[in-house]
Amino acid sequence: MRWGMVIDLEKCTGCQACTTACAMENNRLPGESWQDVLFYQEGEYPSAQLKWFPRPCFHCENPSCMYVCPTRATYKTDDGVVLIDWNKCIGCKYCMIACPYGVRFYTDEKPLVEPDIKETFPTEGDPQWEPPYKKPDTVEDWKRGVGIQPHGVVSKCTFCYHRISNAPPGVADLDPNDPELVEYVPACVRTCAPTARYFGDLDNPHSTVRKLIADKRGGRLLDQTGNKPQVYYLTGEGGAVPAFGEGQPTEEEE
Amino acid sequence: MMNVQTQTFARTAIPRNLGVLFFVGGLGLLIGLGGLFPLFLEGHRMFNTGSMDKMVWGIAVVTYAYLALASFGVTLVTMLGSLFRLRGCEPLLMPNLLLALALAIGAVAALALELGHPVRAIWAMPFNLQFRSPFYWMGIAWTAYLALLLIALGLSFRSSPGKPFNRKLGVLLVLAALGALTVQALVYGLMAMRPVWFSSTLPLYFLIGAVLVGLSLIVLFTHIAHGFDAGSMPEDTRRLMADGVPTALLTILVVYLLATASRVVTGLWSNLDGHRIVYEHLIRSGWFHLEVWVGLLLPVVLLSLRKLSARPAVQSCAAVLLLTAAFIGRYEFIIGGQRVPLFKGTWVPGLIDYTPSVTEWMVSVFAFSLVLALYAMGSRMIGFIQARG
Amino acid sequence: MGEEKMNLDILKAAVTRRRFLQLFGAAGSMGLGGFYFGRWPQFPSLAQANAEAAPLQTGATVITKSVCHQCPARCGIDVYTTNGRVHAIYGTLDNPIANGKLCPKGHLGAYILYDPDRFKGPMKRTNPGKGRDEDPRFVPISWDEALDTVAARLNALRDKGESHRFAILYGRGWGASDAGLQTPFAKLYGTPNVINHSSMCADGSKRAKHATDGNYSYNAYDYKNTNYILNFGAAFLEAFRPYNYLMQVWGHIRTKSPRTKVTVVDVHLTTTGAAADRLLLIKPGTDGALALAIAHVILTEGLWDREFVGDFVDGGNRFSPGEPVDPAVFREKWTHGLIEWWNHELKDRTPRWASQVTTIAEKDILAVAREFGTTRPAIALFERGPTSHSNGTYNGMCIHALNALVGSLFATGGPMYQMPVPYGKLPVSFEDYMDGYAKSEERKKYPRIDLAGTEEWPLAANMMQEVARNHLTGKPYKLDTVLFYLTNPIWSAPNPQVWEEAFKDIFVIDTSPFPSETALYADIILPDHTYLERLQSAETYPFEGWPMTGLRTPAVKPLYDTKVYGDVLIELGKRIQGSTGEYYKILDNTENVLRHLAKGFETNPGDNGVNSFETWKEKGVWFKKPYLWKQWRGEFYEWDGKGYGKRMTPEEVKAKLLKTPTGKFEFDSGLLKQHAEYIHKKLGVSVERVGLPQWVPPRHPGGGDLHLITPKLAMHAEGRGANIPTAIALIQPTMGGRGTVYLEIHPKAAEARGIPNNSRVRIKSMVGSIEAIARYAPGTRPDTVVLPLEYGHWAGGRWAKGRLPGHSGEVTENQSDPVSGLANYYTGKVTVEPV
């Protein structure tokens, strides 16, 4: 059992619904996008190019973030998901240095949007804030990095572990169109309007995700780092995966 | 002989200018603590670091790395001098160990101010045994290093004057410092996803830098302790400081320059994505030129001129320049390695900009002042103990 | 720069009271949250309200079916509530628009419900002075006092015979249980002024379709089965409705067999254009010229659909560039006026001519024309991009004519129109309760304040953008009282500075639950529920043709002392003197209204089994497939219960589908011919040619040298996006706009003006000037700058207020297409200079 995701860039419309669904499902702060969509522009009018790709945590087979963590706060579950134990994280941010994909977030930072929403919905306890729309307390699971983040720790996408971990055992794919399974599907996969995302068991040769990777030549980002993501991209006729994220390809220094 | 040593000890044990050091350190501590108030109140949001379009590690980590390497450098230079029985070293042994300890504590303090949960680190690191993490080994090396430093200092107190330093302990200290330094370098050197850092020879580069900084600090603090008056030093020490030390400093400086040059040339030559762009940015910055021309090449000139290089004032001046250059170099290395954002889109500029916040600077002010204050306080205590003993 | 920031940080630290208290153990809620910078009165804060709610521990999670409120699409949503708190919103799986999915805005609903700047109850103004910087000094009042105050005012106006001086201005109403109650209210009360925002929305598209195929409506489309989409300026993947469904369609059509090819014609680089097979960046306002050239090629190369349009009697093709054709040799089938169109317009509209007008390369025009002409089914779609110009209706007609040429109207994979919902009847008919005053001749004397439908704007349905100007000049009269519902024209109208001046002496009633510029001008606030607290119907916008209507059911009890707008109208109605009050006493409340509407489902059960008010609530939507009509190979058929088996007569087609004077698709519009003199006077088109889809050069006001385009972005959460931090954080991803929107400018255009990248600029037109941060966007046309509409609010909440850049409306002149009345938002020219 090894959960994995397939993202079809030919279908992805760059709408960021995955990002807002994730923000809602996981009570993320504004701009703290566990599931981000990255845009790149190249060329010039009238032949300019605009491309994008969504980027969750890749839950790598060989996660460099896990190996640099001095306290094993970052760990890999038996079903192949990389999680952070907020009770163990010391906030050294080494994992943020070591993740080649930039998917990790520290909590205590200047807010992207002022005034700070944490001040609008304050709390006196350990978590950083308490919005009225936060998940029920029963979903909080700090050992797995799920819930409202406490101070001084690092967070990242959990593949919605609080959802997928309740899925019926042995299921090959979490199909968001199946009323029986929809509540176990990660938020980003569930809401993806063009169905650019698929979620399933990469160890199961009969799963849709495996079949898609085979049929549509699924590829992974930055394979040379050896991290071996468990998120595959299909590029079809549209979409593209940039070779390396140098931010804006055009030099902005001058 | 006996008399000379006793006399010497008395002089070195209560160095001059302690009051000045204590005042500067104390004032710095006050300013630092005051300046850190927002950090205690508001947490790390007072830093200009961040996950989204900012540096992950800022000047607090630079300060930590700088002070740590400085401590390792002072220890290495001192212990090597002692192990090789360099004449004139003995009087400097205890002040140097004290300096190394003060630097180490300053480094740990800077790190503690950077960590999200410094206290948790104390139990979570040893109990979770992540053998693959350089931080884990860093913890072990640090613990060993600090313990050995304390033992060495303690032994120095108890031992009768003139008795040579315990060689086994010296070897252990050298090994601990080298180990800590190597792990510290590998924290960066292992990062294949960060081309500016990724290098298996990084420990060597760090070692060169550590020795340079260590030697510079020894020169500077020895002169401060002797009121910039070579005449007040014991004869052997005076000779060492006038002759051997500038040659050694010049030698390590030339090696450091070569290492720096090779890194910059590699950076500018490289086609590797995310590598050259950083070095191009680097050579456009004024700090880099200050570092190279004033911080490194001017001391080469100062130390090369035999007539000048023996003078305490010139040596101290060169040491200050080198310490500044090394700090800029450390800053460029750690910040430069993070300038290229990893997988961020159009919303992050090509290179990440970074200006430390006032609060972050206060971490540096606090840590550096702590070093001064501890050193001054330690020296004073040694003086009392020695006086009583 | 860094230094300044740091000092500020220290300052902030010093004043962050909460943290300070926390540090020194004096913790406790000091009631800091929940106020609008002290401007609004101190109702219980949100924190307090939360504290009163049950703690979030265990408890069953309830899913309530509702309808999203963040664009007009009407996606069905599942609202997840635990212990009385909403914590998640997902698309409803068995809702035909949502299909379990949502767009990025859909998930923001809880942030709107728990918006800390919400109004907590009815309020009245105590400071008579009005303006941007005037504190209204609102004080809370009871609902009774609020409703009595308004009713007394309305009754007093009526007593003076001045009831026409009361107007309702409304925006995106939802249906029968809110906006639908307004017209009866106005009729009973005696005012012609129920004015919708459609003239600031997309009336041009509706009028273009009205002029050509007789339907004053947006189109529904059979996207799933189309093989070609030629999209003129509709942000299919950003803002076009129903956005969520369009993205579902996108995933389908781009991977189906055969893959649907997409060409996008737009004035700036969008995700829609980037995702398409081809993006043509056209000169603003010239879409009509491009469509004409495409039509020209379709005819000269013989690619038109002979089964729908007809053919030369001898089967040959006499369409040759520049050559007139004898009308006698062509026999038209479902179209009218093709040869007149060719002879008097099309024959000279060659790709070469169009390339000069549009700046699109001739080879690209040819390629698109050939693809569009040879791929069936194909859709040519457009909305306000090409139509919000002085020549907008004609641009739209040129584009819509392409659908006729390739025979896609009402065909599989083509455009069609939306069927109405077979609602039940209300318990009373308002006509029966109109009193002598309301029915008097005196009442008929007064035109609407916006002069829509008068000789000033004979073809316009609404002219909201004219209201402020007309009030100021007193022509036709001055307003006394205005009720706003779901619209904020004091900010959103073109050149809203005029509104700021005009509304100083008008008694303003705002019904929004949120602070806004209009609310800042309000004399009384009658706050609505937010949508997750409402019971409200939402009939679908044009979608796939078959009828559908959603229902909002409250997911939580109203957090504050608010009242749903439908009930506000009914309660006001009960307080109006005479028989009006009687009518509203019977109508009673919106739930009663909805229960009566739902009675219609008893005889018309939906495909999902909805046959009553209760089942409607349970499922959240009623719908009934199929669409009843289909055009196939030049013949029209009607659904007979099993299939499209009933062939329609031309009379039936005219009555139900092609509702033009001729009952055909008109390439020579009968509607426009009826207004030939007016159009001639306003646009200079010769009287004989007014009916033809044709090229009319646009007028670009503003006095500048760069076109200013102000698109709506995907994160524009209907009216509230500017005060939702999560939306602000993600607003303009293509340009790196996180926390703000940037002015997109071509580097060469910027350099010519001395504007560095990422620097502050001033945007000026004849009517105003605003500031923005310019960012180099090499994909932008060098003659065009792009500033998304979103910020520049001077009210609206803690996050909205004062957020740069300035508001694009303030540099937009109030110019309208004389035919449709549509405000020309995307046509103005500005100058941009460094600050």
Side-chain angles (χ1 to χ4, degrees):
Chain A
M1 179 80 218
R2 191 160 51 91
W3 290 117
M5 195 184 283
V6 170
I7 301 177
D8 189 342
L9 296 177
E10 189 172 14
K11 289 179 170 185
C12 174
T13 61
C15 75
Q16 306 184 101
C18 44
T19 307
T20 59
C22 172
M24 170 197 78
E25 180 68 36
N26 294 294
N27 294 132
R28 291 299 87 207
L29 290 166
E32 192 188 65
S33 303
W34 278 2
Q35 158 52 62
D36 211 337
V37 185
L38 309 181
F39 283 76
Y40 299 85
Q41 281 195 33
E42 271 174 56
E44 191 183 348
Y45 163 83
S47 58
Q49 192 192 138
L50 175 63
K51 54 189 177 185
W52 56 86
F53 77 106
R55 189 230 35 214
C57 169
F58 293 147
H59 298 273
C60 304
E61 289 173 32
N62 290 319
S64 47
C65 59
M66 177 172 97
Y67 297 133
V68 300
C69 177
T71 64
R72 289 189 196 264
T74 293
Y75 63 102
K76 203 157 165 70
T77 62
D78 292 341
D79 46 3
V81 179
V82 177
L83 297 177
I84 303 172
D85 182 343
W86 285 339
N87 294 325
K88 278 189 186 175
C89 177
I90 59 169
C92 69
K93 303 195 273 184
Y94 197 10
C95 51
M96 291 166 64
I97 293 284
C99 171
Y101 308 105
V103 307
R104 288 170 162 260
F105 298 87
Y106 190 57
T107 51
D108 303 64
E109 290 176 357
K110 280 199 181 62
L112 175 64
V113 179
E114 299 269 10
D116 193 346
I117 195 165
K118 288 190 275 191
E119 298 291 331
T120 303
F121 300 120
T123 173
E124 302 301 338
D126 217 3
Q128 296 198 83
W129 60 313
E130 186 166 333
Y133 40 79
K134 83 172 190 124
K135 293 259 124 189
D137 288 348
T138 45
V139 182
E140 293 266 317
D141 187 357
W142 286 10
K143 278 191 157 349
R144 294 180 177 80
V146 173
I148 299 269
Q149 204 163 336
H151 286 283
V153 299
V154 172
S155 74
K156 67 164 194 68
C157 154
T158 65
F159 265 173
C160 281
Y161 203 71
H162 58 291
R163 297 173 70 93
I164 62 169
S165 56
N166 294 319
V171 66
D173 290 283
L174 291 181
D175 177 3
N177 296 318
D178 184 342
E180 299 296 317
L181 294 175
V182 68
E183 294 299 340
Y184 312 120
V185 182
C188 57
V189 179
R190 177 171 177 182
T191 203
C192 181
T195 317
R197 285 168 183 265
Y198 303 84
F199 194 81
D201 182 4
L202 291 175
D203 278 347
N204 185 338
H206 302 287
S207 64
T208 303
V209 283
R210 276 260 73 109
K211 186 74 178 147
L212 280 168
I213 292 164
D215 285 351
K216 299 186 87 175
R217 297 165 297 284
R220 312 196 266 200
L221 283 174
L222 293 187
D223 253 348
Q224 76 273 16
T225 66
N227 271 38
K228 295 190 192 298
Q230 282 168 212
V231 174
Y232 288 74
Y233 288 95
L234 315 177
T235 52
E237 284 184 51
V241 181
F244 188 89
E246 259 197 22
Q248 226 144 278
T250 47
E251 180 61 47
E252 278 209 332
E253 293 300 303
E254 255 68 44
Chain B
M1 198 65 190
M2 204 70 161
N3 277 343
V4 174
Q5 281 292 350
T6 320
Q7 208 181 349
T8 316
F9 228 124
R11 270 202 203 147
T12 49
I14 307 180
R16 301 188 190 176
N17 297 324
L18 265 192
V20 177
L21 281 184
F22 202 82
F23 178 75
V24 174
L27 188 69
L29 275 180
L30 279 179
I31 294 172
L33 274 175
L36 285 174
F37 195 56
L39 176 68
F40 304 139
L41 216 56
E42 292 287 311
H44 284 117
R45 78 172 82 173
M46 300 315 294
F47 282 16
N48 278 350
T49 53
S51 328
M52 289 178 252
D53 54 352
K54 301 204 174 84
M55 286 293 146
V56 175
W57 284 344
I59 202 164
V61 173
V62 174
T63 304
Y64 157 73
Y66 183 79
L67 291 177
L69 284 189
S71 175
F72 303 149
V74 169
T75 301
L76 281 174
V77 171
T78 307
M79 283 301 113
L80 288 175
S82 166
L83 289 173
F84 288 111
R85 311 240 159 133
L86 225 53
R87 286 168 69 89
C89 269
E90 292 81 8
L92 305 181
L93 186 73
M94 204 188 291
N96 285 356
L97 286 178
L98 184 64
L99 180 61
L101 183 68
L103 287 163
I105 293 172
V108 173
L111 185 64
L113 290 169
E114 157 73 17
L115 289 182
H117 288 284
V119 178
R120 187 181 290 173
I122 294 166
W123 61 262
M125 275 168 65
F127 285 117
N128 285 289
L129 302 173
Q130 176 51 288
F131 301 117
R132 287 189 65 166
S133 172
F135 269 18
Y136 173 77
W137 292 106
M138 213 169 82
I140 291 188
W142 260 112
T143 311
Y145 174 70
L146 278 173
L148 288 168
L149 261 187
L150 285 169
I151 292 170
L153 266 172
L155 285 180
S156 303
F157 279 131
R158 285 159 182 256
S159 67
S160 50
K163 195 184 168 206
F165 188 73
N166 183 326
R167 286 185 69 103
K168 280 177 194 155
L169 184 62
V171 171
L172 282 177
L173 250 179
V174 167
L175 288 179
L178 278 177
L181 182 145
T182 303
V183 180
Q184 164 105 48
L186 289 181
V187 163
Y188 307 95
L190 296 175
M191 296 296 102
M193 63 296 293
R194 305 235 176 222
V196 174
W197 290 346
F198 184 49
S199 164
S200 55
T201 59
L202 211 57
L204 209 56
Y205 177 64
F206 270 45
L207 177 62
I208 297 164
V211 171
L212 181 74
V213 171
L215 200 49
S216 301
L217 278 167
I218 288 171
V219 168
L220 182 63
F221 277 80
T222 302
H223 285 311
I224 291 176
H226 292 89
F228 302 96
D229 174 14
S232 68
M233 295 180 190
E235 181 55 25
D236 282 350
T237 307
R238 194 187 59 75
R239 201 172 295 143
L240 186 66
M241 291 297 290
D243 194 18
V245 163
T247 311
L249 193 55
L250 183 61
T251 310
I252 193 68
L253 171 55
V254 169
V255 176
Y256 183 76
L257 264 170
L258 288 175
T260 303
S262 73
R263 282 187 63 80
V264 172
V265 169
T266 310
L268 290 174
W269 188 88
S270 169
N271 270 341
L272 191 60
D273 212 358
H275 196 186
R276 181 164 60 189
I277 186 173
V278 174
Y279 280 92
E280 282 171 353
H281 181 266
L282 175 66
I283 59 165
R284 281 198 299 263
S285 105
W287 291 107
F288 173 76
H289 292 281
L290 181 72
E291 175 197 355
V292 171
W293 305 112
V294 183
L296 297 176
L297 288 173
L298 184 59
V300 168
V301 175
L302 291 177
L303 294 169
S304 303
L305 301 171
R306 304 272 320 157
K307 284 200 170 164
L308 285 178
S309 68
R311 296 187 187 169
V314 173
Q315 285 185 5
S316 302
C317 175
V320 167
L321 289 175
L322 289 173
L323 289 170
T324 312
F327 189 82
I328 297 174
R330 192 61 40 204
Y331 181 92
E332 282 162 351
F333 175 81
I334 291 176
I335 301 303
Q338 306 170 69
R339 277 208 191 275
V340 173
L342 296 183
F343 272 96
K344 312 281 177 182
T346 41
W347 50 282
V348 169
L351 290 176
I352 297 175
D353 260 338
Y354 173 64
T355 315
S357 71
V358 168
T359 309
E360 283 178 273
W361 277 115
M362 287 302 148
V363 172
S364 302
V365 168
F366 174 77
F368 280 104
S369 308
L370 187 63
V371 172
L372 287 185
L374 283 175
Y375 177 75
M377 224 164 65
S379 302
R380 187 86 211 139
M381 271 168 59
I382 292 170
F384 278 129
I385 295 167
Q386 294 287 339
R388 260 192 286 154
Chain C
M1 183 64 201
E3 291 295 321
E4 276 174 35
K5 255 193 200 159
M6 292 157 214
N7 290 332
L8 272 176
D9 289 346
I10 288 173
L11 206 73
K12 244 187 286 169
V15 297
T16 310
R17 191 158 137 232
R18 186 185 66 78
R19 289 287 239 159
F20 195 82
L21 292 175
Q22 199 176 323
L23 195 78
F24 293 100
S29 169
M30 304 302 284
L32 279 179
F35 306 136
Y36 184 67
F37 294 134
R39 170 162 274 165
W40 312 111
Q42 311 218 334
F43 287 99
S45 75
L46 195 60
Q48 281 165 284
N50 289 338
E52 283 157 21
L56 265 183
Q57 286 154 3
T58 51
T61 297
V62 179
I63 296 175
T64 312
K65 304 284 175 186
S66 189
V67 178
C68 186
H69 191 297
Q70 299 188 46
C71 92
R74 288 143 164 88
C75 293
I77 51 175
D78 285 358
V79 186
Y80 288 69
T81 308
T82 309
N83 293 317
R85 293 213 212 159
V86 175
H87 52 84
I89 296 173
Y90 285 100
T92 304
L93 208 45
D94 53 0
N95 176 288
I97 293 189
N99 297 302
K101 318 292 187 187
L102 279 181
C103 84
K105 298 183 284 283
H107 298 290
L108 308 176
Y111 309 150
I112 291 176
L113 172 67
Y114 297 110
D115 185 328
D117 299 319
R118 277 185 65 174
F119 291 139
K120 318 287 192 295
M123 304 187 294
K124 72 175 178 194
R125 188 185 196 91
T126 58
N127 175 10
K130 288 187 182 179
R132 279 192 188 203
D133 303 316
E134 288 285 346
D135 181 348
R137 282 191 240 126
F138 283 124
V139 293
I141 52 175
S142 69
W143 272 105
D144 272 335
E145 184 186 344
L147 294 166
D148 287 346
T149 306
V150 173
R153 195 172 177 95
L154 295 186
N155 282 329
L157 268 182
R158 216 171 188 262
D159 288 342
K160 286 189 280 181
E162 292 179 359
S163 55
H164 56 279
R165 295 179 63 209
F166 167 65
I168 297 176
L169 266 50
Y170 77 108
R172 207 98 78 189
W174 292 97
S177 65
D178 61 328
L181 300 173
Q182 296 172 142
T183 300
F185 184 91
K187 292 252 182 203
L188 289 163
Y189 173 68
T191 175
N193 290 317
V194 177
I195 297 168
N196 184 240
H197 78 153
S198 67
S199 58
M200 283 144 64
C201 183
D203 270 355
S205 160
K206 291 193 280 188
R207 194 60 70 198
K209 284 152 192 173
H210 188 204
T212 47
D213 69 21
N215 293 280
Y216 186 63
S217 170
Y218 307 124
N219 276 107
Y221 298 93
D222 181 16
Y223 290 119
K224 271 188 232 163
N225 294 305
T226 197
N227 286 328
Y228 200 96
I229 294 178
L230 176 54
N231 175 342
F232 288 83
F236 206 81
L237 302 181
E238 283 124 314
F240 198 40
R241 58 183 179 267
Y243 181 34
N244 174 11
Y245 184 74
L246 294 180
M247 291 196 290
Q248 297 167 34
V249 156
W250 188 261
H252 170 71
I253 63 176
R254 299 294 276 171
T255 49
K256 79 175 172 57
S257 178
R259 185 179 196 257
T260 305
K261 194 158 189 179
V262 181
T263 288
V264 168
V265 180
D266 210 326
V267 292
H268 68 123
L269 180 57
T270 61
T271 49
T272 310
D277 296 293
R278 185 193 284 111
L279 169 63
L280 302 176
L281 287 170
I282 196 167
K283 189 172 170 60
T286 66
D287 305 67
L290 177 62
L292 288 171
I294 291 169
H296 176 94
V297 175
I298 287 173
L299 292 185
T300 55
E301 302 200 354
L303 306 177
W304 76 90
D305 190 274
R306 284 162 177 77
E307 288 166 332
F308 185 81
V309 178
D311 202 357
F312 287 98
V313 285
D314 60 0
N317 183 7
R318 297 205 176 77
F319 292 123
S320 176
E323 302 287 328
V325 171
D326 177 3
V329 301
F330 195 95
R331 193 172 300 134
E332 282 186 88
K333 195 168 177 188
W334 289 109
T335 63
H336 164 80
L338 178 67
I339 303 303
E340 285 88 293
W341 188 31
W342 171 263
N343 287 347
H344 296 111
E345 178 69 15
L346 222 44
K347 69 177 174 23
D348 303 317
R349 299 312 183 198
T350 60
R352 173 159 302 171
W353 166 82
S355 77
Q356 284 160 4
V357 176
T358 61
T359 72
I360 307 276
E362 195 180 340
K363 62 173 193 263
D364 289 332
I365 300 176
L366 268 172
V368 173
R370 285 170 183 157
E371 280 174 12
F372 187 76
T374 55
T375 312
R376 304 280 152 80
I379 290 173
L381 76 86
F382 65 100
E383 209 62 77
R384 59 191 241 160
T387 55
S388 65
H389 301 274
S390 61
N391 59 354
T393 307
Y394 280 112
N395 280 342
M397 289 164 67
C398 296
I399 296 164
H400 197 46
L402 298 176
N403 286 318
L405 284 182
V406 299
S408 66
L409 289 164
F410 303 99
T412 298
M416 65 211 128
Y417 290 95
Q418 186 64 34
M419 291 165 62
V421 179
Y423 276 142
K425 277 201 162 132
L426 292 185
V428 273
S429 164
F430 75 86
E431 287 93 348
D432 301 340
Y433 288 83
M434 281 173 71
D435 62 9
Y437 176 89
K439 284 197 272 201
S440 67
E441 284 305 308
E442 167 76 8
R443 285 297 96 211
K444 291 177 189 141
K445 269 181 16 199
Y446 297 100
R448 288 164 49 130
I449 177 74
D450 62 351
L451 296 174
T454 68
E455 59 188 23
E456 200 73 27
W457 303 99
L459 281 153
N462 292 290
M463 285 307 291
M464 191 190 276
Q465 66 268 38
E466 297 297 300
V467 169
R469 198 149 60 184
N470 293 355
H471 169 77
L472 276 180
T473 58
K475 215 184 103 192
Y477 45 81
K478 278 196 172 281
L479 286 172
D480 176 85
T481 303
V482 175
L483 171 73
F484 287 90
Y485 176 55
L486 287 174
T487 192
N488 182 25
I490 296 181
W491 185 79
S492 62
N495 191 11
Q497 296 96 324
V498 176
W499 289 69
E500 279 182 56
E501 199 47 44
F503 274 71
K504 283 181 176 166
D505 64 349
I506 295 176
F507 188 86
V508 173
I509 307 157
D510 196 18
T511 57
S512 167
F514 305 109
S516 70
E517 287 75 10
T518 301
L520 199 63
Y521 265 66
D523 292 276
I524 201 154
I525 307 258
L526 310 177
D528 199 350
H529 298 328
T530 65
Y531 69 98
L532 298 177
E533 302 158 312
R534 284 186 207 155
L535 181 68
Q536 193 166 60
S537 71
E539 294 86 275
T540 191
Y541 255 47
F543 168 49
E544 283 189 337
W546 36 268
M548 168 168 156
T549 180
L551 183 69
R552 294 198 173 101
T553 304
V556 286
K557 275 190 273 179
L559 296 188
Y560 304 109
D561 187 18
T562 54
K563 198 182 275 296
V564 78
Y565 175 66
D567 282 346
V568 168
L569 272 186
I570 292 172
E571 290 303 318
L572 278 177
K574 287 177 186 169
R575 288 163 167 83
I576 299 295
Q577 58 208 10
S579 47
T580 300
E582 298 301 314
Y583 168 79
Y584 283 104
K585 275 177 195 126
I586 302 169
L587 213 53
D588 200 19
N589 56 51
T590 47
E591 179 169 344
N592 189 35
V593 169
L594 288 165
R595 284 181 180 278
H596 279 86
L597 295 177
K599 285 213 167 79
F601 305 151
E602 287 169 9
T603 47
N604 258 314
D607 289 0
N608 56 353
V610 167
N611 58 3
S612 64
F613 179 67
E614 280 68 31
T615 46
W616 194 19
K617 263 173 100 167
E618 183 193 319
K619 291 281 186 185
V621 64
W622 172 97
F623 63 95
K624 196 173 169 73
K625 296 177 185 178
Y627 186 62
L628 292 183
W629 305 281
K630 184 150 299 249
Q631 182 257 122
W632 189 69
R633 304 199 65 171
E635 295 300 337
F636 286 86
Y637 299 89
E638 194 161 39
W639 185 258
D640 60 11
K642 289 182 189 140
Y644 295 100
K646 186 171 162 261
R647 191 143 149 196
M648 295 169 77
T649 64
E651 291 70 32
E652 285 171 326
V653 170
K654 181 177 178 181
K656 291 173 178 170
L657 301 174
L658 296 171
K659 300 170 185 168
T660 56
T662 58
K664 306 279 173 71
F665 185 95
E666 296 186 345
F667 293 123
D668 190 5
S669 170
L671 174 76
L672 296 194
K673 278 188 192 164
Q674 291 165 21
H675 299 276
E677 284 298 334
Y678 170 81
I679 295 170
H680 170 68
K681 196 175 82 192
K682 294 284 179 180
L683 285 175
V685 177
S686 76
V687 171
E688 305 78 53
R689 299 174 75 244
V690 289
L692 305 175
Q694 61 189 284
W695 170 241
V696 180
R699 277 197 301 265
H700 301 296
D705 56 355
L706 289 167
H707 293 281
L708 175 66
I709 308 300
T710 59
K712 180 170 150 183
L713 299 173
M715 292 304 300
H716 180 87
E718 193 108 326
R720 241 7 232 169
N723 205 50
I724 302 174
T726 299
I728 297 168
L730 302 169
I731 183 71
Q732 192 192 19
T734 55
M735 285 304 297
R738 301 215 163 200
T740 189
V741 290
Y742 294 101
L743 178 80
E744 300 172 25
I745 187 167
H746 192 281
K748 290 200 180 87
E751 279 153 18
R753 290 162 178 80
I755 297 166
N757 196 11
N758 285 320
S759 69
R760 203 156 168 142
V761 293
R762 188 174 295 112
I763 306 165
K764 289 200 297 197
S765 79
M766 307 284 272
V767 294
S769 127
I770 56 170
E771 286 187 10
I773 305 291
R775 191 168 261 199
Y776 286 4
T780 311
R781 287 180 60 93
D783 63 355
T784 298
V785 288
V786 182
L787 181 66
L789 162 92
E790 191 71 28
Y791 302 124
H793 283 278
W794 36 276
R798 66 190 69 188
W799 290 290
K801 196 184 168 192
R803 183 169 294 276
L804 268 177
H807 169 40
S808 57
E810 291 176 21
V811 288
T812 305
E813 276 202 22
N814 183 7
Q815 174 188 292
S816 303
D817 171 3
V819 182
S820 69
L822 182 64
N824 297 169
Y825 275 103
Y826 301 152
T827 215
K829 289 185 118 178
V830 295
T831 53
V832 180
E833 61 188 32
V835 173

